[in-house]
Amino acid sequence: MKYFNKLGALILFLGTLSCQAQDKGYESLTVEAFCQTIADTTVVRLDVRTAAEFAEGHIERAVNIDVLSPHFLQDALAKLPHHKLIAINCRSGKRSKKAADILIRNGFKVVELDKGFLGWVAEGKKVVK
């Protein structure tokens, strides 16, 4: 019985460590949660798609900084306030996670739209051009 108690404690401890190792430092939000978050006008909306993608349609009041640009970090540091929450989106959710990782490592607090702009459009949310 002691063996099983110790084994259980070890599994619980290792599980705690693995959860901490997987902590991204940011939260991926559903479309609805993202929509509620950006309803707060102090939250900065950041679209990390290309300028051409952004011009085809984007979330209202979003700032566009292309995460694939070699100057992404420099542009982000110059344009984004460190003291505000940054809500990031891209097309499908892949680039926004990359941008979130970069921004978190540089002191920003961020959330990202888990299914990207495509998910936003699919749920009928407002788009501007």
Side-chain angles (χ1 to χ4, degrees), residues 39-58:
D40 177 346
T41 58
T42 65
V43 174
V44 177
R45 302 168 186 195
L46 175 61
D47 189 316
V48 296
R49 298 176 297 154
T50 66
E53 289 173 304
F54 186 80
E56 291 174 0
H58 55 272

Side-chain angles (χ1 to χ4, degrees), residues 22-81:
Q22 293 175 3
D23 182 20
K24 305 172 286 199
Y26 63 89
E27 188 175 356
S28 294
L29 302 177
T30 64
V31 170
E32 196 54 45
F34 192 85
C35 190
Q36 290 172 0
T37 299
I38 65 172
D40 177 346
T41 58
T42 65
V43 174
V44 177
R45 302 168 186 195
L46 175 61
D47 189 316
V48 296
R49 298 176 297 154
T50 66
E53 289 173 304
F54 186 80
E56 291 174 0
H58 55 272
I59 296 172
E60 189 173 28
R61 295 191 327 264
V63 174
N64 181 226
I65 306 174
D66 182 354
V67 72
L68 300 179
S69 162
H71 306 288
F72 172 74
L73 181 56
Q74 293 84 350
D75 291 344
L77 290 170
K79 295 178 181 178
L80 302 174

Side-chain angles (χ1 to χ4, degrees), residues 1-19:
M1 189 65 139
K2 283 183 182 180
Y3 173 77
F4 289 112
N5 286 340
K6 288 181 181 179
L7 180 61
L10 178 61
I11 290 171
L12 181 62
F13 175 73
L14 292 175
T16 302
L17 287 179
S18 68
C19 287

